[in-house]
Amino acid sequence: MQTSASGRGPGPGKGPEPAQAASGSPADHGREHPTDTDGPWYRPPEPDRVDPVVLGALLARHGWQRRGGPPGRYGRWTPPGAPAGRATGTSLLVPESRGYPDSEDLLDEALTALDRSGTPAAREVLVALAVPSDEIRWWRDVPTGPAGSAAWPAEEKLRGAARRMLLAGALATRARAGYYGARHRGPAAALMREVLVGAAEGGRRLTAFVPVGTARPLALRLHQALFAAREAVDYRRATGGMDAFDGAVEAGVSHELTEALVALVRGTQGARVAVEWSPAAGAPEGCASSTEPVEFSPGDLPALREASARYLQSEPSVPVRITGTVVRMRRSGPRGEGTVRLRVIAGAEVARVRMTLDEEAYRIAGHAHLVGLPIRVHGRLQSRGGFRKLTHAHDVVPVQVDETERDRLMKSLQENLDFFEEACSGE
């Protein structure tokens, strides 16, 4: 058995990367690699904390082959692709239970050998052991070059589609909508930071690890949404009707998810997505312990594109009462209406909105900010443009806040005074 002298588990720079949200989201500028090397992803799994049954299940999931061993005692496992009956560089002896007398020693040697191996199949097992995780897998059937190589854009397309799909799943944990736009992006990005994404192998295969303790709702919602999307596409192709896509919104299907599926399938001969539950935690209530991957083909693209456009066009504007702080004001002259941008504090699941105010409301907004107060405004959050614009804005009033918050707002004004020159123009 191959062993190493010390340390187990994926070290900094070797393991998967934190998932990032799709372009334009708050997670775009996230860490390329985790910086907290004391975090759970980087704590080597200790033998006394590893369940041999879980280790065996993970080895089988990641392509390792059991090549024998005394039944009821231990099994000998070889890495993916190792020919049967031949000696290989890495061979693991894994006890079947802790009842075996030398179980802890064998686990220690097996974990050390996995760390020493450095292959994707070994790293993924160590990551899943370090933090119990559901695994989301993507496959794309794309042409390959010599020795299974793929063009650089193929890997980028796979990673981009996977991130967009994770974002769609995270958004669906917050609410059900055909189109989210800028709504719920902050909480969704925060949930995605819990996810690690491995290397895109040749642009054909990618795995994400979703911690059960903090982000299982993401994996569960995406699992349900993928099957609902598959059924809706089948219904559209069989009957020509789009009704199934309307009902699929309740399962988490959205404009964002259909766009992610289009990005995944486009330019391939087909693509698959699978959600596999953590063997340590088991399947969620109401879910089968294992399911087949959900498959999509180029023939599904017209239905997916039609659904994406349908979701984008049909999502209605939303009546809201927003409280926020003014971060920018602009108008073309000393009087008349002007444009105001707010940082939202309450009333809508977006970070910022812009609106056009008449002369009196514009003056109220400017004066409220100059004295360190947010404003409250009624209107409709317009779906066109991603729910970033408030239309029919009215009833603009200042809102009282405590002294600490007012001091913070005044400091912000002093740091950004050039943005508010127009606020007092002509007054």
Side-chain angles (χ1 to χ4, degrees), residues 227-241:
F227 279 94
R230 179 66 265 170
E231 292 175 1
V233 169
D234 291 341
Y235 183 84
R236 171 67 178 87
R237 296 185 67 174
T239 69

Side-chain angles (χ1 to χ4, degrees), residues 321-365:
R321 185 181 69 173
I322 289 178
T323 301
T325 57
V326 178
V327 294
R328 191 173 186 90
M329 304 185 74
R330 183 182 298 276
R331 62 182 174 184
S332 57
R335 295 190 178 278
E337 67 178 22
T339 301
V340 175
R341 185 177 299 171
L342 295 185
R343 179 178 64 83
V344 176
I345 298 174
E349 289 287 347
V350 294
R352 286 179 170 79
V353 296
R354 67 183 183 278
M355 67 194 79
T356 299
L357 299 179
D358 62 29
E359 181 173 353
E360 177 62 17
Y362 188 87
R363 181 187 63 80
I364 293 172

Side-chain angles (χ1 to χ4, degrees), residues 187-253:
L191 186 61
M192 285 182 64
R193 293 189 193 104
E194 302 294 327
V195 180
L196 290 193
V197 180
E201 300 173 22
R204 297 170 62 88
R205 177 179 176 273
L206 182 65
T207 302
F209 299 88
V210 183
V212 171
T214 55
R216 169 160 273 192
L218 189 163
L220 178 59
R221 184 60 57 217
L222 185 57
H223 168 77
Q224 295 169 336
L226 286 168
F227 279 94
R230 179 66 265 170
E231 292 175 1
V233 169
D234 291 341
Y235 183 84
R236 171 67 178 87
R237 296 185 67 174
T239 69
M242 294 294 290
D243 298 349
F245 278 106
D246 296 337
V249 170
E250 284 302 311
V253 182

Side-chain angles (χ1 to χ4, degrees), residues 34-54:
T35 56
D36 177 14
T37 56
D38 293 328
W41 293 110
Y42 289 92
R43 295 180 190 135
E46 296 296 335
D48 60 353
R49 300 180 67 86
V50 173
D51 184 340
V53 175
V54 171

Side-chain angles (χ1 to χ4, degrees), residues 41 45 49-66 77-80 92 94-95 107 111 114 120-137 205 207-210 212 276-282:
W41 293 110
R49 300 180 67 86
V50 173
D51 184 340
V53 175
V54 171
L55 176 55
L58 288 171
L59 289 170
R61 172 178 293 178
H62 291 275
W64 292 70
Q65 298 292 321
R66 179 167 177 166
W77 294 80
T78 56
L92 311 178
V94 179
L107 287 171
L111 294 170
L114 284 170
R123 289 196 302 268
E124 290 179 350
V125 171
L126 288 173
V127 170
L129 285 173
V131 175
S133 305
D134 300 321
E135 298 177 27
I136 302 172
R137 300 181 186 281
R205 177 179 176 273
T207 302
F209 299 88
V210 183
V212 171
E276 298 177 327
W277 309 117
S278 164

Side-chain angles (χ1 to χ4, degrees), residues 59 78 112 129 149 257 318 390 393 408 426:
L59 289 170
T78 56
T112 301
L129 285 173
S149 62
L257 180 67
V318 182
L390 193 72
R408 190 191 65 78

